[in-house]
Amino acid sequence: MFSHVMIGTDDIEGSERFYNAVLAVLGINEPVHNVNDTGQKRLFYVHNGSVFCVTEPINGEPACAANGSTIGFACDSPEQVKEFHSVAISNGATSIEAPPGLRDNSTGKKHLCYFLDLDGHKICGMYRCD
């Protein structure tokens, strides 16, 4: 359904350090660097047919997080959910919502963690239980 997810940042170098550390937990390699035709720097993290992008805003306005949005990353185990969260926090993210762990609700059992990245984007790590 989705070809990619792209978020904005005002500190591309800081975002690269942050996401290199955090996404390495999921086995995602360092990004492909790109400068678009109007000069904005971009990072493209490619993994298992999906692309997560971080960019300087094209319109020249400050980057901002979208209220109500969440970007979810699939994890391979409950332990990886906790490590994903821990690495994010140790690299400057802010933990939000309940601590990482099992949730059992109307959408089923899953292990979740939530944090805000350096620019305030809400990120989730999720492992769905069978």
Side-chain angles (χ1 to χ4, degrees):
M1 179 183 296
F2 300 103
S3 63
H4 66 281
V5 172
M6 183 175 283
I7 61 172
T9 185
D10 292 325
D11 180 3
I12 198 79
E13 290 81 14
S15 287
E16 181 174 11
R17 285 188 302 275
F18 177 80
Y19 279 108
N20 282 356
V22 173
L23 296 179
V25 172
L26 306 180
I28 299 171
N29 296 321
E30 292 188 5
V32 173
H33 293 83
N34 173 265
V35 177
N36 69 4
D37 292 341
T38 54
Q40 287 76 32
K41 295 177 187 173
R42 296 173 160 187
L43 309 171
F44 293 94
Y45 293 89
V46 181
H47 184 70
N48 291 341
S50 297
V51 182
F52 176 69
C53 314
V54 182
T55 186
E56 296 171 329
I58 293 174
N59 65 3
E61 298 292 322
C64 62
N67 187 24
S69 68
T70 301
I71 299 169
F73 287 89
C75 295
D76 293 329
S77 68
E79 296 78 19
Q80 192 176 51
V81 170
K82 290 178 182 174
E83 182 182 4
F84 186 64
H85 183 266
S86 177
V87 170
I89 300 312
S90 69
N91 280 277
T94 302
S95 184
I96 58 171
E97 299 191 16
L102 180 65
R103 312 291 198 281
D104 187 1
N105 57 34
S106 62
T107 59
K109 292 182 180 181
K110 55 200 151 303
H111 289 262
L112 297 170
C113 72
Y114 291 96
F115 57 86
L116 300 178
D117 76 0
L118 305 179
D119 292 291
H121 300 285
K122 184 177 178 182
I123 307 295
C124 172
M126 180 190 306
Y127 172 74
R128 289 194 181 274
C129 301
D130 292 331

